[in-house]
Amino acid sequence: MSSQTIETKPNNGIIADGEATAILPTGGKHKPITVIGTEAIRGTFDELCLQQAINSRTAPGVTDLVLNPDAHCGYGAPVGCVMVSPTHVYPGPVGVDIKCSMSLLQTSLPADAVIDKPTRRALINAICERTPTGAGRGQRNAPKSRRVDEALGRRVLVEGASRGVCEALGIPPEWAERCEDSAHVGHDDSTASLALRLEKLMPQMHNFAGKVTQLGSYGGGNHFGECEVVEFGEDDRSRRVADAFGLIDGGVAFLSHCGSRGIGHQLATGQFKALQQKFDRWDIPLPGQDRELVYAPLGTPEADAYLDDMALGANFATVNHLLINALVLEAFQEVIPGVTGRLVYFISHNIARKEIVDSRPAWVHRKGATRAMPAGHHALAGTPFAETGHPILLPGNPQAGSAVMVADPGAELSCYSVNHGAGRQLGRKAAKRALDQREVDASFDAADILSNCRQYPIDEAPAAYKDFDEVLRSVKAAGLASEVARLKARFVIKDGDKADD
DNA sequence: ATGTGC
């Protein structure tokens, strides 16, 4: 494995072939890396990020690698990339937070219901009581009707959002149709193999009962819940699609970002360690000599174990999101009786899926990347979105807004994928050095956006992220997707200096 | 991302 050097080439070796599309050749017979991003965006990719992309592109069994405009360094592969392999699975290019995802709940409320501050404060409190934030945090005072014991926890991991699990947790079962995948199965397409795998893992699953009580919680870092006002665009097509998605112009919606919490973390790190030990023992060369890029050929016990563990974590994340949405709706109903809500969509940006790429089945690893299938895509047949394409949920930042998009046929270029958000511009330490807490808080006050935190976490401030409009411009100019609606924050739930502690 | 250092 020769690791190419990139620093001496102009533009880091990236060759533009359109306003927002480019290629990065990696030498040999390899198809080049597909790069999405305007010139301004392409300048934000640092060397390590590009080296990770090259390592990933030239790794065994990989046929396609897409680098998205929000790309930055990740574990082995960049956050913000798509890696396709018909023959291998790669745990690193799924990531440590298995099935980290976005979901959007459309309520029946008009925007003026969330104007006055006391109502928004009451909503923040009611939501925080039910859906906690923070490391280790889970359900504190869940009512008996929604308590997750060990037995139900096992069912969640094995079945995902099955009818039985939804009923046991008070989740409207029809929401399962509004999921990118409501349930994940094991390596042999059965749930039986997942049950067996979980049984085998149980002795290592420290505090399993405690971890399953994390269902219905956000965790920390960039995870959040956000009350939004939905703003449709001007053109007829986007308004028609927004209607079909069940969005309401000028209505109140709730956007959530979270993943598989402690369970997914334990499953992912367990897989990294197990595979790294085997690579050490076997002395097999790693792509770019990077231990974070361990892999397993399909059909081996190692690949089976990874696919099973990924499915267990993914099922937890799916039910976590659906329960959060059910609990958030309950919180709205406590504060504003009579309000109703429907799940618009639940879609992941950290998962490997079996899809058809270039007419053959392949594992599409999306790491900080979102599936983007347009109207008429064969995989959407029989879903509510066959005629429109499915909703794409892209968090930007509370001040610039977030976006609902829909894929265009041009998304074939990026293996039917787009970015997963704005992407970091400043590392956490750099953000703490560069940004001023009072200015950050003042900017939220000026925009009349409330938060559950006394001080907004500075490393999560909008200025720590790339310019969201430039990122969206890249996606549109590359022909991947169109904007359907913008979401403007009215209040934000984050892990931070909580007002209720 | 994470019972936020192995």
Side-chain angles (χ1 to χ4, degrees):
Chain A
M1 196 63 49
S2 66
S3 61
Q4 288 83 350
T5 122
I6 55 181
E7 57 267 58
T8 56
K9 298 177 189 169
N11 305 315
N12 287 323
I14 298 175
I15 302 161
D17 63 4
E19 185 192 347
T21 57
I23 57 168
L24 175 58
T26 57
K29 306 185 297 273
H30 290 124
K31 177 179 166 184
I33 294 167
T34 301
V35 181
I36 307 295
T38 57
E39 193 177 358
I41 287 287
R42 296 196 298 270
T44 68
F45 302 139
D46 62 37
E47 257 177 54
L48 181 56
C49 171
L50 291 175
Q51 188 61 57
Q52 288 185 332
I54 290 167
N55 295 342
S56 304
R57 175 65 198 89
T58 55
V62 175
T63 54
D64 286 278
L65 200 286
V66 180
L67 198 65
N68 276 327
D70 55 347
H72 55 95
C73 294
Y75 187 91
V79 174
C81 81
V82 186
M83 181 203 233
V84 179
S85 175
T87 50
H88 292 63
V89 285
Y90 281 81
V94 170
V96 60
D97 188 3
I98 295 168
K99 211 180 182 187
C100 185
S101 309
M102 302 300 305
S103 58
L104 184 67
L105 180 79
Q106 173 70 63
T107 79
S108 55
L109 295 173
D112 60 13
V114 290
I115 290 175
D116 82 271
K117 286 187 183 174
T119 302
R120 277 187 280 163
R121 278 284 159 219
L123 285 168
I124 289 171
N125 293 338
I127 290 166
C128 288
E129 268 171 33
R130 291 168 173 83
T131 58
T133 58
R137 285 291 189 82
Q139 295 297 304
R140 281 172 287 189
N141 305 307
K144 270 206 191 104
S145 60
R146 285 215 170 96
R147 201 156 297 165
V148 188
D149 59 14
E150 185 172 327
L152 181 54
R154 286 182 194 225
R155 286 189 67 190
V156 166
L157 266 73
V158 171
E159 297 173 26
S162 67
R163 190 162 196 98
V165 164
C166 288
E167 280 168 2
L169 288 169
I171 295 164
E174 68 272 17
W175 288 4
E177 292 166 22
R178 297 266 171 166
C179 294
E180 180 183 26
D181 295 299
S182 61
H184 294 251
V185 289
H187 68 275
D188 58 356
D189 294 334
S190 81
T191 54
S193 59
L194 288 188
L196 280 174
R197 177 70 185 164
L198 182 58
E199 219 44 59
K200 197 177 162 194
L201 286 171
M202 278 312 280
Q204 304 143 241
M205 281 280 189
H206 308 301
N207 190 21
F208 179 77
K211 284 204 181 84
V212 297
T213 65
Q214 293 185 333
L215 281 168
S217 68
Y218 290 104
N222 59 7
H223 290 171
F224 67 86
E226 210 167 272
C227 178
E228 316 279 2
V229 170
V230 179
E231 293 177 4
F232 283 20
E234 295 295 321
D235 64 298
D236 287 348
R237 183 218 173 197
S238 79
R239 298 180 72 88
R240 261 201 316 278
V241 174
D243 270 333
F245 286 173
L247 294 165
I248 300 171
D249 195 14
V252 173
F254 197 87
L255 182 69
S256 302
H257 176 208
C258 59
S260 46
R261 305 295 330 276
I263 289 271
H265 183 261
Q266 189 179 345
L267 290 164
T269 54
Q271 282 292 333
F272 295 146
K273 282 177 196 152
L275 279 167
Q276 283 163 355
Q277 279 172 9
K278 295 196 174 183
F279 271 77
D280 289 346
R281 201 169 331 124
W282 297 335
D283 200 26
I284 300 173
L286 279 157
Q289 286 84 51
D290 188 345
R291 299 183 84 236
E292 296 180 355
L293 267 182
V294 286
Y295 56 86
L298 291 174
T300 60
E302 288 76 16
D304 291 351
Y306 178 69
L307 291 173
D308 289 350
D309 287 7
M310 184 186 75
L312 293 168
N315 282 335
F316 186 94
T318 304
V319 178
N320 188 27
H321 263 264
L322 296 189
L323 182 57
I324 281 176
N325 281 278
L327 292 167
V328 165
L329 179 56
E330 188 183 272
F332 268 91
Q333 287 167 337
E334 181 184 80
V335 176
I336 307 171
V339 56
T340 59
R342 292 183 313 182
L343 190 74
V344 173
Y345 206 49
F346 161 73
I347 187 165
S348 181
H349 46 238
N350 274 5
I351 194 72
R353 301 179 81 249
K354 210 192 295 180
E355 296 177 4
I356 305 293
V357 181
D358 291 336
S359 313
R360 64 171 171 168
W363 282 91
V364 179
H365 304 67
R366 294 192 177 89
K367 181 187 180 71
T370 314
R371 189 186 67 165
M373 291 174 172
H377 190 286
H378 64 88
L380 298 182
T383 77
F385 305 110
E387 310 290 317
T388 52
H390 61 81
I392 299 166
L393 306 177
L394 293 186
N397 67 64
Q399 291 170 18
S402 291
V404 180
M405 302 189 86
V406 68
D408 288 316
E412 187 182 7
L413 173 71
S414 55
C415 305
Y416 297 108
S417 310
V418 293
N419 57 310
H420 79 311
R424 266 196 174 279
Q425 174 165 249
L426 297 172
R428 293 191 184 277
K429 272 178 286 183
K432 283 174 186 159
R433 256 183 281 119
L435 305 176
D436 179 76
Q437 182 71 59
R438 276 173 308 178
E439 280 178 30
V440 170
D441 290 333
S443 70
F444 275 82
D445 289 343
D448 188 26
I449 299 168
L450 303 184
S451 158
N452 65 317
C453 301
R454 279 203 202 86
Q455 296 188 313
Y456 197 85
I458 197 157
D459 49 348
E460 285 293 315
Y465 286 87
K466 293 183 194 179
D467 177 354
F468 189 52
D469 284 306
E470 187 66 20
V471 172
L472 289 184
R473 215 174 350 264
S474 296
V475 176
K476 295 174 199 169
L480 309 183
S482 303
E483 196 168 334
V484 166
R486 196 59 78 104
L487 308 173
K488 291 304 199 49
R490 305 304 294 124
F491 62 80
V492 188
I493 313 281
K494 291 285 287 185
D495 176 34
D497 170 28
K498 298 180 185 69
D500 64 347
D501 275 356

